[in-house]
């Protein structure tokens, strides 16, 4: 299974075939996943449908190296977390899978990156090492080939003037920001820039009181003068992201799929329009584990879009791109 086969998927059958191919490889070569499957008393050779594939709980990334490749680890992504919380580590043997994934997804959802100025307000991520979000934002900034693109820490005045500059020049602009930093910004600056794309990546990081999405997005819309707030759904343990262009409704790129499971029976898969635990199939995560059971709650709709409803009770707070609802 090569990159072209994964990133050129066009339909459900191609996805199913690729998923089964990758499952067979990971069930054999990822030691932890193999032990997990054995513990469930599942015979991998008898898995003939995507819906039969078992999903590895995301918590395993906190205590084990989830690797399916014999190659040397080139890069380690780590999750953010409050003091005292164990963080996840995603050991990446071939970062080109991640690069191809987010570049292709951006092109799919937003078009040519060189048409944009990319402004990144990600202070909490910039202040630590190992952030997959920073890796992605840095690459997108470079790919934009725009001298006005760049990172901003707490220099809100500089960011404000840069946004005004973009508005006056009528240049397509994407502001990607961690939630608390976007809220901090609009407490001191108010814009009326309807064409601005504001993408929140989630995360209060203990800086602010959690709030429901509707309240958050209403505040951000008012502060930036936009009609909708975009969002990104991804996590340290994955190499693909889903995107929302408003109303908290996400869509996946063709090589990523969301499935919901029964919260009382993790092996049982739910029909559309029923709330359950979010399982993610990320075919770009070929050298780790492509089948992850998250601690997130969500609902899938008939058109394959999905909504994130919150987190499981008693689950730990990790550096994932969602809000408690």
């Amino acid at each position: 299974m090569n990159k072209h086969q994964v990133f050129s998927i066009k339909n459900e059958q191609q996805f199913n075939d690729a998923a089964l191919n990758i499952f067979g490889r990971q069930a054999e070569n990822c030691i932890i996943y193999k032990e997990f499957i054995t513990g469930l008393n599942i015979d991998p050779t008898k898995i003939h449908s995507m819906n039969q594939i078992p999903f590895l709980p995301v918590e395993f990334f906190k205590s084990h190296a989830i690797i399916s490749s014999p190659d040397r680890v080139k890069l380690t992504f780590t999750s953010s977390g409050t003091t005292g919380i164990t963080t996840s580590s995603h050991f990446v043997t071939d970062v080109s899978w991640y690069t191809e994934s987010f570049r292709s997804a951006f092109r799919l959802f937003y078009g040519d990156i060189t048409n944009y100025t990319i402004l990144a307000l990600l202070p909490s991520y910039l202040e630590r090492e190992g952030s997959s979000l920073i890796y992605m934002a840095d690459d997108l900034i470079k790919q934009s080939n725009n001298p006005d693109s760049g990172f901003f820490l707490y220099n809100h005045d500089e960011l404000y003037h840069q946004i005004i500059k973009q508005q006056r020049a009528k240049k397509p602009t994407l502001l990607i920001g961690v939630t608390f930093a976007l809220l901090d910004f609009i407490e001191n600056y108010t814009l009326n820039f309807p064409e601005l794309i504001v993408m929140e990546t989630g995360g209060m990081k203990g800086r602010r009181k959690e709030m429901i999405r509707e309240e958050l997005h209403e505040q951000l819309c008012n502060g930036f003068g936009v009609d909708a707030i975009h969002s990104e759904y991804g996590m340290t343990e994955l190499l693909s992201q889903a995107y929302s262009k408003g109303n908290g409704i996400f869509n996946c790129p063709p090589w990523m799929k969301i499935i919901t499971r029964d919260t009382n029976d993790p092996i049982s898969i739910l029909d559309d329009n029923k709330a359950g635990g979010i399982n993610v199939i990320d075919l770009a995560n070929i050298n780790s584990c492509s089948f992850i059971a998250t601690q997130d709650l969500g609902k899938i709709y008939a058109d394959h879009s999905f909504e994130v409803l919150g987190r499981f009770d008693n689950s730990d707070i990790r550096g994932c791109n969602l809000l408690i609802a």
Side-chain angles (χ1 to χ4, degrees):
M1 185 62 58
N2 58 41
K3 291 188 187 71
H4 175 74
Q5 291 170 297
V6 169
F7 295 116
S8 64
I9 287 174
K10 295 288 193 300
N11 55 51
E12 192 78 8
Q13 186 60 54
Q14 289 178 348
F15 188 95
N16 186 76
D17 292 345
L20 289 172
N21 181 300
I22 291 172
F23 168 72
R25 165 181 169 164
Q26 294 179 345
E28 181 62 32
N29 296 312
C30 181
I31 295 172
I32 302 303
Y33 190 39
K34 185 176 184 178
E35 292 178 353
F36 175 73
I37 294 168
T38 301
L40 293 175
N41 199 28
I42 292 174
D43 181 353
T45 64
K46 295 183 178 179
I47 299 293
H48 303 298
S49 165
M50 180 176 64
N51 287 335
Q52 297 175 309
I53 294 174
F55 288 80
L56 184 73
V58 71
E59 293 85 357
F60 278 84
F61 282 82
K62 294 181 178 180
S63 54
H64 299 83
I66 312 299
I67 303 174
S68 296
S69 170
D71 297 335
R72 182 174 63 86
V73 173
K74 305 289 180 30
L75 192 63
T76 302
F77 291 132
T78 56
S79 63
S80 56
T82 54
T83 303
I85 289 180
T86 303
T87 57
S88 295
S89 294
H90 186 176
F91 300 101
V92 181
T93 58
D94 184 353
V95 75
S96 68
W97 279 91
Y98 182 43
T99 304
E100 181 74 16
S101 178
F102 66 69
R103 286 181 183 176
S104 297
F106 187 94
R107 186 163 54 248
L108 178 68
F109 287 102
Y110 293 99
D112 187 349
I113 185 70
T114 61
N115 292 332
Y116 291 87
T117 301
I118 308 294
L119 308 177
L121 182 61
L122 303 166
S124 57
Y125 294 92
L126 277 171
E127 292 168 314
R128 67 177 184 85
E129 294 183 357
S131 167
S132 57
L133 179 59
I134 292 297
Y135 188 96
M136 178 180 75
D138 183 59
D139 185 83
L140 292 177
I141 286 169
K142 291 173 181 174
Q143 288 292 311
S144 74
N145 196 30
N146 187 326
D148 287 331
S149 294
F151 285 102
F152 295 82
L153 196 56
Y154 296 103
N155 45 337
H156 290 176
D157 190 61
E158 183 181 345
L159 174 60
Y160 173 76
H161 285 99
Q162 184 61 58
I163 294 174
I164 293 298
K165 176 183 175 182
Q166 298 303 124
Q167 184 174 16
R168 288 172 177 167
K170 297 183 178 180
K171 292 185 177 180
T173 303
L174 168 63
L175 171 62
I176 180 170
V178 63
T179 304
F180 79 82
L182 292 173
L183 289 170
D184 287 349
F185 178 82
I186 62 172
E187 281 187 350
N188 297 303
Y189 300 91
T190 301
L191 294 162
N192 183 24
F193 190 176
E195 296 78 22
L196 177 67
I197 298 173
V198 179
M199 181 185 293
E200 57 97 4
T201 67
M204 294 298 193
K205 304 296 183 294
R207 309 284 186 106
R208 282 176 171 266
K209 176 186 174 183
E210 298 279 359
M211 64 179 73
I212 61 171
R213 175 185 55 77
E214 289 82 1
E215 180 186 1
L216 167 66
H217 284 199
E218 182 180 6
Q219 288 190 25
L220 293 177
C221 282
N222 291 337
F224 287 100
V226 297
D227 293 329
I229 300 298
H230 295 221
S231 304
E232 180 237 15
Y233 179 80
M235 56 191 73
T236 299
E237 300 85 358
L238 302 175
L239 293 184
S240 296
Q241 303 82 26
Y243 290 97
S244 166
K245 292 188 175 182
N247 299 316
I249 304 299
F250 291 88
N251 287 280
C252 294
W255 55 91
M256 178 184 181
K257 186 179 289 291
I258 302 295
I259 296 173
T260 48
R261 66 183 185 275
D262 190 325
T263 55
N264 297 313
D265 179 10
I267 304 300
S268 179
I269 301 302
L270 296 176
D271 295 329
D272 293 345
N273 294 306
K274 291 184 178 180
I278 290 180
N279 290 347
V280 182
I281 300 179
D282 175 14
L283 300 184
N285 213 11
I286 190 169
N287 294 317
S288 177
C289 183
S290 293
F291 312 95
I292 304 298
T294 77
Q295 282 284 355
D296 307 330
L297 290 166
K299 183 186 291 186
I300 303 172
Y301 299 104
D303 62 356
H304 304 299
S305 64
F306 70 98
E307 186 175 5
V308 179
L309 302 175
R311 295 191 185 96
F312 280 102
D313 290 340
N314 303 319
S315 66
D316 55 355
I317 307 295
R318 55 186 170 74
C320 181
N321 304 328
L322 16 126
L323 305 171
I324 293 175

